[in-house]
PDB file of all heavy atoms in Angstrom:
ATOM      1  N   VAL A 228     -15.706  11.459  -3.096  1.00 93.00           N
ATOM      2  CA  VAL A 228     -16.333  12.746  -2.777  1.00 93.00           C
ATOM      3  C   VAL A 228     -16.320  12.979  -1.279  1.00 93.00           C
ATOM      4  O   VAL A 228     -16.505  12.058  -0.498  1.00 93.00           O
ATOM      5  CB  VAL A 228     -17.803  12.762  -3.254  1.00 93.00           C
ATOM      6  CG1 VAL A 228     -18.442  14.114  -2.977  1.00 93.00           C
ATOM      7  CG2 VAL A 228     -17.874  12.449  -4.733  1.00 93.00           C
ATOM      8  N   LEU A 229     -16.098  14.231  -0.933  1.00 93.00           N
ATOM      9  CA  LEU A 229     -16.140  14.627   0.461  1.00 93.00           C
ATOM     10  C   LEU A 229     -17.192  15.731   0.562  1.00 93.00           C
ATOM     11  O   LEU A 229     -17.094  16.744  -0.104  1.00 93.00           O
ATOM     12  CB  LEU A 229     -14.757  15.173   0.832  1.00 93.00           C
ATOM     13  CG  LEU A 229     -14.367  15.391   2.274  1.00 93.00           C
ATOM     14  CD1 LEU A 229     -12.849  15.377   2.351  1.00 93.00           C
ATOM     15  CD2 LEU A 229     -14.851  16.719   2.788  1.00 93.00           C
ATOM     16  N   VAL A 230     -18.198  15.521   1.383  1.00 92.00           N
ATOM     17  CA  VAL A 230     -19.239  16.538   1.528  1.00 92.00           C
ATOM     18  C   VAL A 230     -18.963  17.321   2.801  1.00 92.00           C
ATOM     19  O   VAL A 230     -18.846  16.754   3.869  1.00 92.00           O
ATOM     20  CB  VAL A 230     -20.639  15.886   1.617  1.00 92.00           C
ATOM     21  CG1 VAL A 230     -21.710  16.952   1.780  1.00 92.00           C
ATOM     22  CG2 VAL A 230     -20.904  15.045   0.382  1.00 92.00           C
ATOM     23  N   MET A 231     -18.866  18.628   2.645  1.00 91.00           N
ATOM     24  CA  MET A 231     -18.603  19.469   3.816  1.00 91.00           C
ATOM     25  C   MET A 231     -19.844  20.245   4.222  1.00 91.00           C
ATOM     26  O   MET A 231     -20.619  20.686   3.363  1.00 91.00           O
ATOM     27  CB  MET A 231     -17.491  20.473   3.511  1.00 91.00           C
ATOM     28  CG  MET A 231     -16.100  19.899   3.628  1.00 91.00           C
ATOM     29  SD  MET A 231     -14.843  21.171   3.397  1.00 91.00           S
ATOM     30  CE  MET A 231     -14.916  22.003   4.968  1.00 91.00           C
ATOM     31  N   TYR A 232     -19.977  20.445   5.522  1.00 88.00           N
ATOM     32  CA  TYR A 232     -21.057  21.275   6.025  1.00 88.00           C
ATOM     33  C   TYR A 232     -20.559  22.049   7.231  1.00 88.00           C
ATOM     34  O   TYR A 232     -20.035  21.469   8.163  1.00 88.00           O
ATOM     35  CB  TYR A 232     -22.279  20.424   6.396  1.00 88.00           C
ATOM     36  CG  TYR A 232     -23.456  21.284   6.782  1.00 88.00           C
ATOM     37  CD1 TYR A 232     -24.215  21.931   5.811  1.00 88.00           C
ATOM     38  CD2 TYR A 232     -23.782  21.477   8.120  1.00 88.00           C
ATOM     39  CE1 TYR A 232     -25.270  22.741   6.156  1.00 88.00           C
ATOM     40  CE2 TYR A 232     -24.840  22.286   8.474  1.00 88.00           C
ATOM     41  CZ  TYR A 232     -25.580  22.916   7.485  1.00 88.00           C
ATOM     42  OH  TYR A 232     -26.630  23.734   7.828  1.00 88.00           O
ATOM     43  N   ALA A 233     -20.740  23.364   7.182  1.00 86.00           N
ATOM     44  CA  ALA A 233     -20.361  24.240   8.291  1.00 86.00           C
ATOM     45  C   ALA A 233     -18.946  23.949   8.787  1.00 86.00           C
ATOM     46  O   ALA A 233     -18.696  23.831   9.978  1.00 86.00           O
ATOM     47  CB  ALA A 233     -21.356  24.117   9.439  1.00 86.00           C
ATOM     48  N   GLY A 234     -18.015  23.792   7.857  1.00 87.00           N
ATOM     49  CA  GLY A 234     -16.620  23.635   8.239  1.00 87.00           C
ATOM     50  C   GLY A 234     -16.205  22.243   8.656  1.00 87.00           C
ATOM     51  O   GLY A 234     -15.071  22.013   9.064  1.00 87.00           O
ATOM     52  N   ARG A 235     -17.117  21.283   8.612  1.00 88.00           N
ATOM     53  CA  ARG A 235     -16.751  19.929   9.008  1.00 88.00           C
ATOM     54  C   ARG A 235     -17.111  18.939   7.906  1.00 88.00           C
ATOM     55  O   ARG A 235     -17.892  19.226   7.018  1.00 88.00           O
ATOM     56  CB  ARG A 235     -17.456  19.545  10.304  1.00 88.00           C
ATOM     57  CG  ARG A 235     -17.448  20.642  11.326  1.00 88.00           C
ATOM     58  CD  ARG A 235     -17.907  20.149  12.661  1.00 88.00           C
ATOM     59  NE  ARG A 235     -16.873  19.360  13.284  1.00 88.00           N
ATOM     60  CZ  ARG A 235     -17.105  18.242  13.963  1.00 88.00           C
ATOM     61  NH1 ARG A 235     -18.308  17.780  14.093  1.00 88.00           N
ATOM     62  NH2 ARG A 235     -16.096  17.582  14.502  1.00 88.00           N
ATOM     63  N   LYS A 236     -16.524  17.780   8.023  1.00 89.00           N
ATOM     64  CA  LYS A 236     -16.842  16.753   7.035  1.00 89.00           C
ATOM     65  C   LYS A 236     -18.158  16.103   7.431  1.00 89.00           C
ATOM     66  O   LYS A 236     -18.321  15.634   8.545  1.00 89.00           O
ATOM     67  CB  LYS A 236     -15.718  15.708   7.027  1.00 89.00           C
ATOM     68  CG  LYS A 236     -15.816  14.778   5.834  1.00 89.00           C
ATOM     69  CD  LYS A 236     -14.958  13.550   5.972  1.00 89.00           C
ATOM     70  CE  LYS A 236     -13.499  13.811   6.158  1.00 89.00           C
ATOM     71  NZ  LYS A 236     -12.706  12.566   5.979  1.00 89.00           N
ATOM     72  N   ALA A 237     -19.095  16.063   6.518  1.00 88.00           N
ATOM     73  CA  ALA A 237     -20.377  15.421   6.794  1.00 88.00           C
ATOM     74  C   ALA A 237     -20.379  13.982   6.293  1.00 88.00           C
ATOM     75  O   ALA A 237     -20.883  13.084   6.947  1.00 88.00           O
ATOM     76  CB  ALA A 237     -21.512  16.208   6.141  1.00 88.00           C
ATOM     77  N   GLU A 238     -19.824  13.812   5.088  1.00 90.00           N
ATOM     78  CA  GLU A 238     -19.848  12.484   4.515  1.00 90.00           C
ATOM     79  C   GLU A 238     -18.692  12.332   3.539  1.00 90.00           C
ATOM     80  O   GLU A 238     -18.275  13.279   2.888  1.00 90.00           O
ATOM     81  CB  GLU A 238     -21.186  12.270   3.782  1.00 90.00           C
ATOM     82  CG  GLU A 238     -21.378  10.857   3.252  1.00 90.00           C
ATOM     83  CD  GLU A 238     -22.831  10.597   2.857  1.00 90.00           C
ATOM     84  OE1 GLU A 238     -23.663  11.506   3.006  1.00 90.00           O
ATOM     85  OE2 GLU A 238     -23.112   9.480   2.406  1.00 90.00           O
TER      86      GLU A 238
END
Side-chain angles (χ1 to χ4, degrees):
Chain A
V228 182
L229 193 157
V230 179
M231 279 185 76
Y232 186 77
R235 317 191 75 220
K236 192 194 302 193
E238 186 166 0

